[in-house]
């Protein structure tokens, strides 16, 4: 295979063990089999971390904090180490991109220049906060000095999903480390290997061994052990709402630790008839095609003013035809496989239920065969309402439902989802209407005449309602990795007034 064709998936080197205290370590016990999402061929065994493994990782993180002074050193030293880490990520961009494309749904054409490049820049963004959030001096009587000190938690835990493994790991590790914490992170058992390489590069960059640890294993065993560990002071999770509830419960039952939860979504795309429909169609199709809809912010409910429905569907039909499915290691692939057969069956089930409820499929609706993995056509469903399974449930696949409205009020009511509030798109040329929609929509992010995140890491992301608690990215992500100590110091007699 030439470089122009992509890369040979059997030629990518990677470590198979946990990464604890700066060393790759394996457990003698149970192993899980990991398959390549592109063709579902098993390619590696993964150690199933136990509560003991998590214990070792937490002890190593604690030791690293105590012995290296990571949390106590001059913050600019931390920032410098993190900048070196970002530089190394860029230096290894090709290698990391291949590893990501091998083991996840990310096509190589997007993994190298998109995911890995943005991970490096995101680490730089977080490094810049290291010396910017030290605390405040409070307004008190002049014979006292009141201070609010920002301090790291110590060891924080993180659990990441399979849809963007490297990005998700960097969104957790970046702010945690910038704030002076150590981290114990469990990647999804479906996409585990690139995260270890990310942690190794941190150590190569001079971040002390033990500050970034990776423990592999399944959610209910290893993830649960992280959520419950008494030595972990805070947990940050991204994944389904159901698992988020389990993480929150375990964290509460084991000592009331704070949790940050980035959970599911069922985000509306609200299109008014006065919008630039060509642009709206680009954004809506782009959101469906990106990672084949396997994104928490996927805009999966199209809510369109009735007079624009027909032209918009015509445009979407054209734009969705550009999906080039294929193995993630082929340079020509731009459309991702579904992560697993389990996930593809979930999409099948929601589609079947929706059709049985009266939905009509006007584009797609079938699997794409011929690659060995599970691939799904971009799919449009019409004749749906709030009770239809595809409108109600997060699908995490390339399925878009279409509902039409006649008045602004009706459109805004349809945009509201009873459970989720992660993101929303609004398309209109009427500024007043855009502002009314922005205020009315119950979601953590509202995009107007665009859809999707940019490299503006300063913008936080997170949900309203059951879509989550707290934020990833932005200043908020670093603040959530700090706790606050109030200090009141008596400095002597009242000062004479001047
Ligand atoms: P999960 O929420 O189950 O998985 C996310 C992470 O949580 C993984 O690392 C998983 O580990 C871990 N986990 C699972 N169970 C527990 C537990 N009891 N305690 C602690 N950690 C746990 O998502 P799935 O992979 O099962 O996907 C199911 C659905 O979730 C998708 O169809 C989609 O709707 C939604 N989802 C949403 C995401 C988002 O970004 N908001 C991301 C991924 C999924 P492991 O994978 O090893 O089991």
């Amino acid at each position: 295979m030439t470089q122009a064709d992509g890369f040979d998936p059997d030629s990518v080197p990677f470590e198979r063990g946990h990464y604890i205290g700066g060393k790759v370590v394996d457990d003698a016990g149970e192993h899980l089999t990991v398959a390549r999402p592109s063709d579902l061929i098993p390619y590696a065994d993964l150690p199933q971390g136990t509560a003991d493994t998590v214990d070792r990782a937490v002890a190593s993180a604690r030791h690293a904090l105590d012995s290296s002074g990571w949390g106590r050193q001059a913050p600019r030293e931390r920032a410098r180490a993190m900048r070196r880490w970002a530089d190394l990520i860029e230096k290894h961009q090709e290698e990391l991109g291949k590893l990501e494309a091998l083991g996840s749904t990310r096509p190589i054409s997007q993994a190298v220049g998109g995911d890995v490049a943005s991970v490096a820049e995101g680490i730089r963004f977080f490094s810049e906060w290291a010396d910017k959030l030290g605390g405040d001096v409070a307004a008190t009587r002049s014979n006292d000095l009141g201070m609010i000190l920002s301090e790291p938690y110590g060891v924080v835990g993180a659990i990441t999903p399979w849809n963007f493994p490297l990005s998700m790991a960097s969104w957790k590790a970046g702010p945690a480390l910038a704030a002076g914490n150590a981290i114990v992170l469990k990647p999804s058992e479906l996409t585990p290997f690139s995260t270890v390489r990310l942690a190794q590069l941190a150590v190569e960059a001079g971040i002390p061994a033990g500050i970034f640890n990776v423990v592999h294993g399944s959610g209910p065993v290893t993830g649960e052990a992280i959520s419950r560990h008494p030595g972990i002071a805070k947990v940050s999770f991204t994944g389904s709402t159901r698992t988020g509830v389990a993480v929150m419960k375990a964290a509460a039952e084991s000592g009331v630790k704070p949790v940050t939860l980035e959970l599911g979504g069922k985000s509306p795309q609200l299109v008014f008839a006065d919008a630039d429909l060509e642009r709206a169609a680009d954004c809506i199709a782009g959101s469906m095609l990106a990672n084949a809809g396997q994104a928490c912010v996927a805009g999966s409910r199209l809510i369109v003013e009735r007079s624009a429905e027909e032209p918009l569907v015509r445009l979407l039909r054209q734009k969705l035809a550009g999906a080039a499915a294929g193995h993630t290691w082929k340079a020509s692939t731009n459309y991702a496989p579904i992560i697993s057969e389990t996930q593809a069956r979930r999409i099948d089930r929601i589609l079947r239920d929706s059709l049985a409820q009266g939905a009509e499929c006007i584009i797609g609706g079938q699997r794409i065969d011929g690659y060995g993995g599970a691939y799904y056509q971009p799919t449009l469903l019409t004749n749906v309402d709030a009770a239809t399974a595809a409108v109600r449930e997060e699908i995490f696949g390339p399925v878009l439902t279409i509902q039409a409205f006649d008045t602004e009020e009706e459109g805004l009511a349809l945009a509201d989802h009873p459970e989720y509030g992660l993101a929303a798109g609004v398309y209109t040329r009427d500024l007043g209407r855009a502002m009314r929609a922005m205020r009315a929509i119950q979601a953590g992010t509202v995009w107007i005449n665009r859809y999707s995140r940019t490299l503006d890491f300063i913008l936080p992301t997170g949900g309203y309602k059951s879509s989550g608690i707290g934020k990833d990215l932005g200043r908020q992500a670093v603040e959530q990795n700090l706790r606050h100590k109030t200090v009141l110091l008596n400095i002597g007699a009242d000062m004479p007034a001047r």
Side-chain angles (χ1 to χ4, degrees):
M1 195 176 267
T2 66
Q3 187 73 14
D5 295 333
F7 67 95
D8 173 3
D10 296 319
S11 71
V12 181
F14 58 91
E15 301 285 2
R16 287 154 171 78
H18 312 291
Y19 190 63
I20 299 177
K23 292 196 176 70
V24 177
V25 291
D26 206 336
D27 281 333
E30 194 190 335
H31 281 68
L32 309 166
T33 303
V34 189
R36 318 191 289 211
S38 283
D39 55 12
L40 298 180
I41 292 181
Y43 70 106
D45 285 342
L46 185 76
Q48 163 71 68
T50 61
D52 280 350
T53 324
V54 173
D55 235 10
R56 267 191 286 147
V58 173
S60 138
R62 191 68 259 167
H63 174 74
L65 283 174
D66 294 343
S67 59
S68 74
W70 175 252
R72 297 189 304 271
Q73 68 185 180
R76 295 212 60 76
E77 292 296 323
R78 267 204 316 272
R80 192 171 305 141
M82 289 185 69
R83 285 201 302 274
R84 286 196 302 268
W85 183 23
D87 292 346
L88 269 186
I89 293 167
E90 261 165 11
K91 192 169 158 212
H92 292 261
Q93 199 160 333
E94 195 77 22
E95 175 204 339
L96 279 165
K98 284 182 181 169
L99 190 46
E100 190 77 329
L102 169 73
S104 80
T105 57
R106 307 296 301 131
I108 186 67
S109 58
Q110 297 162 17
V112 176
D115 302 40
V116 182
S118 115
V119 165
E121 204 48 31
I123 296 294
R124 263 184 213 115
F125 167 82
F126 285 120
S127 77
E128 289 154 11
W129 288 101
D131 63 350
K132 310 244 172 356
L133 296 170
D136 284 313
V137 172
T140 59
R141 293 188 323 172
S142 65
N143 62 338
D144 287 330
L145 179 62
M147 292 174 285
I148 303 136
L149 305 184
S150 299
E151 298 183 331
Y153 278 96
V155 184
V156 301
I159 300 166
T160 51
W162 44 260
N163 51 350
F164 297 90
L166 277 173
S167 294
M168 295 298 106
S170 71
W171 288 14
K172 305 300 185 195
L177 268 53
N181 300 286
I183 192 166
V184 175
L185 188 154
K186 187 200 91 65
S188 169
E189 72 197 68
L190 301 174
T191 55
F193 300 113
S194 55
T195 304
V196 169
R197 191 67 189 120
L198 190 68
Q200 279 182 317
L201 291 175
V203 174
E204 279 178 39
I207 293 174
I211 292 297
F212 187 170
N213 304 279
V214 181
V215 179
H216 294 303
S218 67
V221 177
T222 321
E224 168 90 6
I226 287 178
S227 308
R228 284 193 183 276
H229 199 287
I232 288 181
K234 180 227 147 96
V235 180
S236 183
F237 169 82
T238 298
S240 63
T241 297
R242 203 174 62 156
T243 305
V245 171
V247 167
M248 198 173 181
K249 186 163 178 278
E253 285 172 357
S254 58
V256 193
K257 49 178 82 94
V259 289
T260 303
L261 304 174
E262 219 262 80
L263 307 178
K266 196 70 219 175
S267 302
Q269 303 264 21
L270 183 58
V271 183
F272 291 93
D274 70 338
D276 176 344
L277 291 187
E278 183 81 34
R279 182 176 174 83
D282 273 333
C283 297
I284 295 162
S287 164
M288 278 190 80
L289 296 177
N291 214 24
Q294 300 164 107
C296 54
V297 293
S300 54
R301 290 186 301 129
L302 171 56
I303 293 156
V304 55
E305 193 164 351
R306 203 171 303 279
S307 59
E309 182 177 5
E310 193 262 320
L312 188 59
V313 168
R314 198 166 351 105
L315 285 166
L316 284 173
R317 203 179 280 280
Q318 284 163 18
K319 296 186 191 288
L320 295 173
H327 295 145
T328 43
W329 42 86
K330 291 286 259 184
S332 54
T333 299
N334 69 14
Y335 186 63
I338 303 303
I339 183 72
S340 64
E341 184 51 36
T342 309
Q343 181 65 14
R345 277 202 293 268
R346 188 180 134 79
I347 299 172
D348 284 336
R349 197 264 302 156
I350 297 176
L351 217 54
R352 254 195 335 267
D353 287 356
S354 303
L355 296 175
Q357 289 171 302
E360 195 187 328
C361 181
I362 56 169
I363 298 179
Q366 303 293 325
R367 301 265 196 123
I368 303 170
D369 295 325
Y371 300 101
Y375 293 76
Y376 229 102
Q377 292 174 339
T379 298
L380 259 60
L381 293 182
T382 183
N383 212 18
V384 296
D385 62 25
T388 308
V391 175
R392 234 178 39 236
E393 294 183 49
E394 183 180 46
I395 301 177
F396 238 60
V399 182
L400 182 70
T401 57
I402 307 176
Q403 293 169 275
F405 67 87
D406 294 302
T407 64
E408 183 179 315
E409 203 183 0
E410 204 188 325
L412 289 171
L414 285 174
D416 198 42
H417 191 279
E419 188 182 353
Y420 295 117
L422 193 56
V426 177
Y427 304 86
T428 177
R429 287 188 169 100
D430 179 333
L431 187 59
R433 174 180 275 161
M435 296 298 102
R436 287 193 294 279
M438 172 199 81
R439 283 201 196 279
I441 288 172
Q442 298 291 303
T445 296
V446 179
W447 284 300
I448 298 172
N449 295 326
R450 60 160 297 113
Y451 203 87
S452 78
R453 298 191 184 98
T454 57
L455 288 181
D456 301 303
F457 301 104
I458 190 68
L459 297 172
T461 181
Y464 279 21
K465 307 190 204 175
S466 298
S467 289
I469 300 174
K471 300 286 181 186
D472 279 334
L473 301 181
R475 187 189 70 225
Q476 288 80 353
V478 189
E479 279 173 348
Q480 284 162 191
N481 279 280
L482 293 163
R483 52 190 170 174
H484 300 103
K485 180 180 284 169
T486 297
V487 180
L488 189 60
L489 174 74
N490 182 268
I491 57 173
D494 276 333
M495 303 283 287
R498 285 175 192 267

